[in-house]
Amino acid sequence: MTTATARTRSAVPEPKAYLRLLTATQFAFNTGFYAVLPYLAAHLGDGLGMAGWLVGLVLGLRTFSQQGLFVVGGALTDRYGPRPVVLTGCVLRIAGFCWLAQAGTTATVIGAVLLIGFAAALFSPAVESETARAAVAHEAGTGTPRAQVLAVFSAAGQAGAFLGPLLGSLLLLLGGDFRTACLAGAVVFAGVLAGHARLMPRRPRRVRAPGARTVLPREVFANRPFLLLCLVHSTYLVSYNQLYLALPLEVERATGSQGALGGLFALSSLLVVVLQLPLTRWSARRVAPRTALVAGLAVVAAGFAAVPLTPGGPAGLLPGATFVVLLTLGQMLLVPAVRGLVPDLVDDHRLGLATGALSSVSGLAVLVGSAGTGTLLDAPGPVLWAVLAAVPTAGAALALTLSGGRRTPEPGTGAGD
């Protein structure tokens, strides 16, 4: 075997093995991240004495620096390949956690959380676009529906989101503090960095064709089906964000405190870990991706509508629990479908940018939608939940106009560039 042949094979990994690496990456990312995030607000308010509005601003800046800049990470992935982008993101996340552990002023806290968010804006689009590309290749080679493969990726992320807070809580119970949780998160990402430096394949740098556009390429930003998918996905993400806005209000109304929120979040993650794979295995073989997307949004809408209609159960948590269960079931149906549709709607060499743009557009929608929801929080319960139910309902109606995609995987398609 020649050196050139060996180099080519190393640059195009076998899809199944590559998917294992990417799935393990998602699990580790979320484990390290969620070991810290659930305790950030309490640290800022109780530990550093920040006012409530300032705590909200810091958390909003973290979300915006992550979701809003996904498009940057996606574009860099298309240009330089996933390896350098993922490794750089890991280095920045380690630095951000170490900085946050030491930060004691508003300026240093904001700097640390912006760095943490930007790190995710680098590695998440790289990992997600590579997973979609490898899932398409795996589908072409084995016939396994890509949505089923992408469901494994989603379940791994939720498993990390479930385990991370437990890790953080364990550290606190053992006498640690928020600084300890930050350093534990940094250690997790140091392990991810070391593993990817060794295992992630090197890809040749993409050479830009003469006269090629580098800003707002038409393949993505003038692609009407893709932009419609972004809009549909935005209605889901605005709805999902109500776990952090409307649900706490409902739990406090029903029980007098927000103490049960942690249990409801754990219920959501546990449902995904247990049910994501069998549910997606069923839907991927029986319904088209567009149908799964429409059904998922309809279930999410039903979750909102059920809150004022469900009688209070034990400790008054039944309406909130019903909402969490239906929202999570809808999420499990639609997220793999969305990720599976992206490779059909954009050219392969723009997949990273498209993956990033999907999240950035949705992040902007969440920013606007959160402000709108905030004005409704004092409205009567039935009004609030009816308006919220209208968002995924509109998304389902838009999804009905989506095309089924324009690309069919060809046998033998590789996972690489």
PDB file of all heavy atoms in Angstrom, residues 132-151:
ATOM      1  N   ALA A 132     -23.696  13.857  11.129  1.00  0.00           N
ATOM      2  CA  ALA A 132     -24.676  13.769  10.041  1.00  0.00           C
ATOM      3  C   ALA A 132     -24.041  13.178   8.786  1.00  0.00           C
ATOM      4  O   ALA A 132     -24.651  12.329   8.110  1.00  0.00           O
ATOM      5  CB  ALA A 132     -25.237  15.160   9.748  1.00  0.00           C
ATOM      6  N   ARG A 133     -22.820  13.607   8.473  1.00  0.00           N
ATOM      7  CA  ARG A 133     -22.134  13.094   7.280  1.00  0.00           C
ATOM      8  C   ARG A 133     -21.865  11.588   7.414  1.00  0.00           C
ATOM      9  O   ARG A 133     -22.087  10.815   6.484  1.00  0.00           O
ATOM     10  CB  ARG A 133     -20.830  13.866   7.088  1.00  0.00           C
ATOM     11  CG  ARG A 133     -20.075  13.483   5.829  1.00  0.00           C
ATOM     12  CD  ARG A 133     -18.826  14.332   5.665  1.00  0.00           C
ATOM     13  NE  ARG A 133     -19.142  15.665   5.186  1.00  0.00           N
ATOM     14  CZ  ARG A 133     -18.927  16.790   5.872  1.00  0.00           C
ATOM     15  NH1 ARG A 133     -18.408  16.732   7.077  1.00  0.00           N
ATOM     16  NH2 ARG A 133     -19.236  17.959   5.348  1.00  0.00           N
ATOM     17  N   ALA A 134     -21.393  11.178   8.586  1.00  0.00           N
ATOM     18  CA  ALA A 134     -21.120   9.755   8.799  1.00  0.00           C
ATOM     19  C   ALA A 134     -22.404   8.937   8.815  1.00  0.00           C
ATOM     20  O   ALA A 134     -22.429   7.780   8.381  1.00  0.00           O
ATOM     21  CB  ALA A 134     -20.354   9.568  10.106  1.00  0.00           C
ATOM     22  N   ALA A 135     -23.501   9.523   9.334  1.00  0.00           N
ATOM     23  CA  ALA A 135     -24.776   8.809   9.347  1.00  0.00           C
ATOM     24  C   ALA A 135     -25.293   8.566   7.937  1.00  0.00           C
ATOM     25  O   ALA A 135     -25.854   7.501   7.633  1.00  0.00           O
ATOM     26  CB  ALA A 135     -25.806   9.598  10.159  1.00  0.00           C
ATOM     27  N   VAL A 136     -25.109   9.559   7.041  1.00  0.00           N
ATOM     28  CA  VAL A 136     -25.500   9.388   5.640  1.00  0.00           C
ATOM     29  C   VAL A 136     -24.678   8.263   5.003  1.00  0.00           C
ATOM     30  O   VAL A 136     -25.209   7.418   4.272  1.00  0.00           O
ATOM     31  CB  VAL A 136     -25.321  10.707   4.866  1.00  0.00           C
ATOM     32  CG1 VAL A 136     -25.503  10.483   3.370  1.00  0.00           C
ATOM     33  CG2 VAL A 136     -26.328  11.749   5.352  1.00  0.00           C
ATOM     34  N   ALA A 137     -23.363   8.254   5.279  1.00  0.00           N
ATOM     35  CA  ALA A 137     -22.505   7.209   4.719  1.00  0.00           C
ATOM     36  C   ALA A 137     -22.884   5.831   5.260  1.00  0.00           C
ATOM     37  O   ALA A 137     -22.908   4.838   4.527  1.00  0.00           O
ATOM     38  CB  ALA A 137     -21.042   7.520   5.036  1.00  0.00           C
ATOM     39  N   HIS A 138     -23.211   5.774   6.565  1.00  0.00           N
ATOM     40  CA  HIS A 138     -23.602   4.510   7.173  1.00  0.00           C
ATOM     41  C   HIS A 138     -24.921   4.025   6.594  1.00  0.00           C
ATOM     42  O   HIS A 138     -25.105   2.820   6.348  1.00  0.00           O
ATOM     43  CB  HIS A 138     -23.718   4.705   8.684  1.00  0.00           C
ATOM     44  CG  HIS A 138     -23.894   3.431   9.462  1.00  0.00           C
ATOM     45  ND1 HIS A 138     -22.977   2.419   9.448  1.00  0.00           N
ATOM     46  CD2 HIS A 138     -24.905   3.021  10.279  1.00  0.00           C
ATOM     47  CE1 HIS A 138     -23.393   1.428  10.228  1.00  0.00           C
ATOM     48  NE2 HIS A 138     -24.568   1.772  10.727  1.00  0.00           N
ATOM     49  N   GLU A 139     -25.843   4.931   6.333  1.00  0.00           N
ATOM     50  CA  GLU A 139     -27.114   4.581   5.714  1.00  0.00           C
ATOM     51  C   GLU A 139     -26.898   4.019   4.317  1.00  0.00           C
ATOM     52  O   GLU A 139     -27.509   3.012   3.915  1.00  0.00           O
ATOM     53  CB  GLU A 139     -28.006   5.812   5.655  1.00  0.00           C
ATOM     54  CG  GLU A 139     -29.372   5.583   5.015  1.00  0.00           C
ATOM     55  CD  GLU A 139     -30.171   6.870   4.930  1.00  0.00           C
ATOM     56  OE1 GLU A 139     -29.719   7.806   4.230  1.00  0.00           O
ATOM     57  OE2 GLU A 139     -31.238   6.943   5.544  1.00  0.00           O
ATOM     58  N   ALA A 140     -25.988   4.663   3.557  1.00  0.00           N
ATOM     59  CA  ALA A 140     -25.721   4.201   2.200  1.00  0.00           C
ATOM     60  C   ALA A 140     -25.082   2.817   2.190  1.00  0.00           C
ATOM     61  O   ALA A 140     -25.356   1.997   1.306  1.00  0.00           O
ATOM     62  CB  ALA A 140     -24.807   5.197   1.491  1.00  0.00           C
ATOM     63  N   GLY A 141     -24.226   2.552   3.181  1.00  0.00           N
ATOM     64  CA  GLY A 141     -23.511   1.282   3.189  1.00  0.00           C
ATOM     65  C   GLY A 141     -24.269   0.132   3.796  1.00  0.00           C
ATOM     66  O   GLY A 141     -24.049  -1.022   3.426  1.00  0.00           O
ATOM     67  N   THR A 142     -25.172   0.421   4.767  1.00  0.00           N
ATOM     68  CA  THR A 142     -25.835  -0.659   5.498  1.00  0.00           C
ATOM     69  C   THR A 142     -27.354  -0.653   5.378  1.00  0.00           C
ATOM     70  O   THR A 142     -27.996  -1.639   5.724  1.00  0.00           O
ATOM     71  CB  THR A 142     -25.476  -0.571   6.999  1.00  0.00           C
ATOM     72  OG1 THR A 142     -26.048   0.624   7.558  1.00  0.00           O
ATOM     73  CG2 THR A 142     -23.955  -0.546   7.189  1.00  0.00           C
ATOM     74  N   GLY A 143     -27.927   0.471   4.950  1.00  0.00           N
ATOM     75  CA  GLY A 143     -29.377   0.579   4.898  1.00  0.00           C
ATOM     76  C   GLY A 143     -30.005   1.003   6.203  1.00  0.00           C
ATOM     77  O   GLY A 143     -31.226   1.175   6.287  1.00  0.00           O
ATOM     78  N   THR A 144     -29.205   1.199   7.255  1.00  0.00           N
ATOM     79  CA  THR A 144     -29.733   1.667   8.535  1.00  0.00           C
ATOM     80  C   THR A 144     -30.170   3.123   8.405  1.00  0.00           C
ATOM     81  O   THR A 144     -29.358   3.962   8.007  1.00  0.00           O
ATOM     82  CB  THR A 144     -28.656   1.566   9.637  1.00  0.00           C
ATOM     83  OG1 THR A 144     -28.206   0.213   9.735  1.00  0.00           O
ATOM     84  CG2 THR A 144     -29.215   2.015  10.983  1.00  0.00           C
ATOM     85  N   PRO A 145     -31.424   3.454   8.707  1.00  0.00           N
ATOM     86  CA  PRO A 145     -31.874   4.844   8.549  1.00  0.00           C
ATOM     87  C   PRO A 145     -30.996   5.807   9.331  1.00  0.00           C
ATOM     88  O   PRO A 145     -30.629   5.542  10.477  1.00  0.00           O
ATOM     89  CB  PRO A 145     -33.303   4.822   9.105  1.00  0.00           C
ATOM     90  CG  PRO A 145     -33.745   3.399   8.980  1.00  0.00           C
ATOM     91  CD  PRO A 145     -32.516   2.579   9.191  1.00  0.00           C
ATOM     92  N   ARG A 146     -30.669   6.922   8.690  1.00  0.00           N
ATOM     93  CA  ARG A 146     -29.781   7.885   9.355  1.00  0.00           C
ATOM     94  C   ARG A 146     -30.385   8.431  10.646  1.00  0.00           C
ATOM     95  O   ARG A 146     -29.659   8.747  11.590  1.00  0.00           O
ATOM     96  CB  ARG A 146     -29.444   9.024   8.404  1.00  0.00           C
ATOM     97  CG  ARG A 146     -30.589   9.952   8.104  1.00  0.00           C
ATOM     98  CD  ARG A 146     -30.266  10.992   7.057  1.00  0.00           C
ATOM     99  NE  ARG A 146     -30.184  10.405   5.725  1.00  0.00           N
ATOM    100  CZ  ARG A 146     -30.105  11.115   4.605  1.00  0.00           C
ATOM    101  NH1 ARG A 146     -30.087  12.433   4.661  1.00  0.00           N
ATOM    102  NH2 ARG A 146     -30.043  10.528   3.437  1.00  0.00           N
ATOM    103  N   ALA A 147     -31.718   8.556  10.684  1.00  0.00           N
ATOM    104  CA  ALA A 147     -32.358   9.066  11.900  1.00  0.00           C
ATOM    105  C   ALA A 147     -32.089   8.143  13.082  1.00  0.00           C
ATOM    106  O   ALA A 147     -31.936   8.591  14.217  1.00  0.00           O
ATOM    107  CB  ALA A 147     -33.860   9.226  11.680  1.00  0.00           C
ATOM    108  N   GLN A 148     -32.010   6.853  12.828  1.00  0.00           N
ATOM    109  CA  GLN A 148     -31.738   5.894  13.885  1.00  0.00           C
ATOM    110  C   GLN A 148     -30.323   6.084  14.419  1.00  0.00           C
ATOM    111  O   GLN A 148     -30.079   6.019  15.628  1.00  0.00           O
ATOM    112  CB  GLN A 148     -31.925   4.475  13.344  1.00  0.00           C
ATOM    113  CG  GLN A 148     -31.807   3.380  14.382  1.00  0.00           C
ATOM    114  CD  GLN A 148     -32.179   2.022  13.813  1.00  0.00           C
ATOM    115  OE1 GLN A 148     -33.115   1.916  13.021  1.00  0.00           O
ATOM    116  NE2 GLN A 148     -31.462   0.997  14.206  1.00  0.00           N
ATOM    117  N   VAL A 149     -29.387   6.342  13.512  1.00  0.00           N
ATOM    118  CA  VAL A 149     -28.006   6.597  13.917  1.00  0.00           C
ATOM    119  C   VAL A 149     -27.919   7.903  14.704  1.00  0.00           C
ATOM    120  O   VAL A 149     -27.253   7.992  15.748  1.00  0.00           O
ATOM    121  CB  VAL A 149     -27.090   6.655  12.682  1.00  0.00           C
ATOM    122  CG1 VAL A 149     -25.673   7.048  13.067  1.00  0.00           C
ATOM    123  CG2 VAL A 149     -27.082   5.308  11.961  1.00  0.00           C
ATOM    124  N   LEU A 150     -28.595   8.931  14.224  1.00  0.00           N
ATOM    125  CA  LEU A 150     -28.560  10.226  14.888  1.00  0.00           C
ATOM    126  C   LEU A 150     -29.256  10.183  16.243  1.00  0.00           C
ATOM    127  O   LEU A 150     -28.939  10.980  17.131  1.00  0.00           O
ATOM    128  CB  LEU A 150     -29.203  11.283  13.992  1.00  0.00           C
ATOM    129  CG  LEU A 150     -28.424  11.580  12.707  1.00  0.00           C
ATOM    130  CD1 LEU A 150     -29.258  12.414  11.747  1.00  0.00           C
ATOM    131  CD2 LEU A 150     -27.116  12.287  13.014  1.00  0.00           C
ATOM    132  N   ALA A 151     -30.193   9.240  16.412  1.00  0.00           N
ATOM    133  CA  ALA A 151     -30.851   9.097  17.710  1.00  0.00           C
ATOM    134  C   ALA A 151     -29.863   8.617  18.765  1.00  0.00           C
ATOM    135  O   ALA A 151     -29.963   9.003  19.938  1.00  0.00           O
ATOM    136  CB  ALA A 151     -32.017   8.114  17.595  1.00  0.00           C
TER     137      ALA A 151
END
